[in-house]
Amino acid sequence: MITQPDKPAGRGRAVTPSPVKQRALEASVPVLQPPRLRDAGWPERLAEYRADVAVVAAFGQILPKAVLDVPVRGSINVHGSVLPRYRGAAPIAWAIMRGETETGITTFQMDPGMDTGDMLLTEATPIGPEETAGELSARLAAIGARLLERTLDGIGTLPRIPQDHAKATLAPRLKKEDGWLRPAEPARDLVNRVRGCNPWPGAALITPAGRLLVWRAIALDAPGLTSPPGALIPSPLPLSPQERGQGEGPLAIATGDGLLLPLEVQPENRKAMAWADFLRGARLAPGARVSEPEP
């Protein structure tokens, strides 16, 4: 088993092994943790295991041809998109953020490029309209395990399908800035960003009460909206049936097109809470403004 070196994790930043390493040790499987498989000597060291095939999933490094070619039948990757779309480190998050309604899993024969090798098997699945990146990742993991079993069963007999590189799109590693919410954008695009950045890095706003992460939100139509983007205004619909008929709905955020209504938020250094609870605690009223974080 080969996995990344142990890294600091959690609030205490204690050096922690990856879940893959923990499971391997429980099963008494030897573990290697090279900082870089491109470093000299690793192809020779891996050759000592005489592997028939290597399986790579979310390893986080582009592997050189000398490493990929060590196993007799080469190296197989399990990727979280329907290739050639969304090549890169964060295909699930970017598919959601770009408003896709379908994604899937692809197994492919690896080459030295970034997710450019010949495809072996693909399975597509719809993306739920409220599904977050974390929720979709968990569902795709089960699909990926099943597809990998089929791939290994057919190794050597499955047709290799070259990718159409002209149709490729990229899904680079996420940065905290990718989660910044810009109120001037359409509300539906902002909701997609909220979903795609859950659980990391979180979708962030700056409010009069400080920095705020938005974990769940919905978009509301607002024909004739004249309030500037970022302004808090009463929404046209209440949150619950009990509130119907009691006047204006909860405060929402005016955007470039429609309203963004947060549902679950997290103030800095506090636990997640309902948007209504945050508004009460922060004493925010109609006309208050929120904005995009600054570098």
Side-chain angles (χ1 to χ4, degrees):
M1 176 71 67
I2 303 173
T3 187
Q4 294 279 14
D6 298 350
K7 297 178 180 179
R11 300 187 70 175
R13 307 304 292 166
V15 176
T16 305
S18 69
V20 171
K21 179 181 178 179
Q22 295 179 45
R23 183 67 185 91
L25 294 177
E26 291 169 2
S28 299
V29 174
V31 177
L32 299 177
Q33 296 180 275
R36 278 172 30 105
L37 278 172
R38 289 183 174 273
D39 292 343
W42 278 106
E44 294 78 12
R45 187 169 179 183
L46 297 178
E48 296 173 4
Y49 289 87
R50 300 182 181 179
D52 290 328
V53 63
V55 173
V56 181
F59 186 63
Q61 296 182 29
I62 296 179
L63 305 182
K65 188 174 188 300
V67 168
L68 297 175
D69 291 347
V70 167
V72 175
R73 297 183 182 273
S75 301
I76 305 298
N77 186 268
V78 185
H79 187 73
S81 77
V82 177
L83 291 171
R85 293 181 62 78
Y86 297 105
R87 295 172 175 172
I92 297 170
W94 284 110
I96 291 175
M97 285 195 284
R98 290 172 183 162
E100 302 286 355
T101 58
E102 183 179 86
T103 186
I105 292 287
T106 304
T107 57
F108 65 94
Q109 196 83 36
M110 296 181 71
D111 64 18
M114 186 177 67
D115 304 325
T116 55
D118 292 345
M119 297 181 293
L120 298 170
L121 291 175
T122 298
E123 182 172 333
T125 185
I127 300 175
E130 299 179 1
E131 201 165 23
T132 67
E135 293 163 347
L136 180 56
S137 294
R139 196 160 59 81
L140 286 176
I143 296 173
R146 183 172 66 247
L147 205 66
L148 176 59
E149 288 183 349
R150 289 175 51 200
T151 301
L152 293 176
D153 286 343
I155 197 75
T157 62
L158 289 172
R160 295 175 51 155
I161 305 170
Q163 296 187 42
D164 184 347
H165 301 303
K167 295 182 179 179
T169 59
L170 298 181
R173 190 181 305 277
L174 289 178
K175 308 181 297 296
K176 286 190 176 182
E177 292 83 355
D178 293 319
W180 290 358
L181 295 176
R182 301 170 175 85
E185 296 179 356
R188 296 189 187 281
D189 291 348
L190 296 175
V191 169
N192 290 340
R193 189 169 298 275
V194 169
R195 293 165 54 218
C197 290
N198 182 347
W200 197 90
L205 282 169
I206 298 299
T207 79
R211 188 181 182 90
L212 187 72
L213 292 178
V214 181
W215 292 118
R216 292 186 185 272
I218 59 174
L220 300 174
D221 293 331
L225 177 66
T226 58
S227 299
L232 296 184
I233 65 172
S235 61
L237 293 176
L239 278 176
S240 66
Q242 292 77 14
E243 294 172 309
R244 296 187 188 278
Q246 298 182 17
E248 295 176 326
L251 294 183
I253 301 168
T255 74
D257 183 8
L259 298 177
L260 177 72
L261 179 58
L263 301 178
E264 182 183 8
V265 299
Q266 185 174 5
E268 199 164 22
N269 299 320
R270 297 178 63 186
K271 294 182 178 180
M273 62 181 65
W275 169 244
D277 293 337
F278 167 74
L279 290 176
R280 280 193 294 270
R283 299 181 179 180
L284 297 184
R289 297 285 295 271
V290 301
S291 61
E292 172 190 353
E294 296 181 356

